Amino acid sequence: MADATSAPNLQAGIRIQDIPDGAMLMGRVGDQDVLVARRGEEIFAVDGLCPHYHAPLSEGLLVGDTVRCPLHHACFSLRTGAALRAPSLDDVACWKVERVADTIIIRDRLKPLEPAATISARRSIVIIGGGAAGV
């Protein structure tokens, strides 16, 4: 978790220049850890901890518009919060990013998107394995 005394208060705002292109920053909104990532002019904000083992996503890898957990490389979309690769089975929430001049302000969680259909239209399937493979 981000240290509440040193993590930026995202509700108060941070300067865009404080997040270089391709960088991530862990901040706080109330008592929530929130990851802010920048890709060019796009700024993304998602829950800051991996739902699998609660590792800080800011210590992971930023790859395109995804972030990968530093522990087991679960992968999440920065655009939707969707869990794209195991071992995490749960999505992370996205946060609304507001721009005011050269300042980024993050206050509110966005409503989750409807889950995409992930199971094939086939009538029968065989599952071999357990854990994430079994799901």
Side-chain angles (χ1 to χ4, degrees):
M1 272 193 222
D3 178 5
T5 60
S6 64
N9 176 353
L10 300 174
Q11 291 172 297
I14 55 172
R15 296 176 336 138
I16 291 175
Q17 297 86 347
D18 292 341
I19 309 170
D21 184 17
M24 298 184 290
L25 174 125
M26 184 73 85
R28 307 269 306 159
V29 175
D31 62 351
Q32 297 292 310
D33 290 307
V34 177
L35 172 75
V36 180
R38 181 174 179 184
R39 278 294 186 198
E41 290 303 308
E42 290 186 288
I43 307 288
F44 303 99
V46 297
D47 284 346
L49 301 177
C50 178
H52 179 238
Y53 270 153
H54 307 290
L57 292 175
S58 62
E59 296 175 12
L61 298 172
L62 184 64
V63 179
D65 64 352
T66 67
V67 62
R68 298 190 184 161
C69 177
L71 291 182
H72 301 110
H73 301 284
C75 182
F76 304 93
S77 168
L78 291 169
R79 294 184 188 283
T80 66
L84 302 175
R85 290 189 187 87
S88 181
L89 304 175
D90 298 316
D91 300 339
V92 292
C94 292
W95 293 74
K96 182 179 179 184
V97 176
E98 299 174 50
R99 287 187 186 198
V100 178
D102 68 341
T103 301
I104 298 296
I105 300 169
I106 299 167
R107 296 183 194 135
D108 302 309
R109 263 194 180 145
L110 296 174
K111 181 180 175 186
L113 298 174
E114 292 295 319
T118 57
I119 296 182
S120 162
R122 298 177 191 213
R123 299 189 127 191
S124 300
I125 58 172
V126 174
I127 299 173
I128 300 173
V135 172

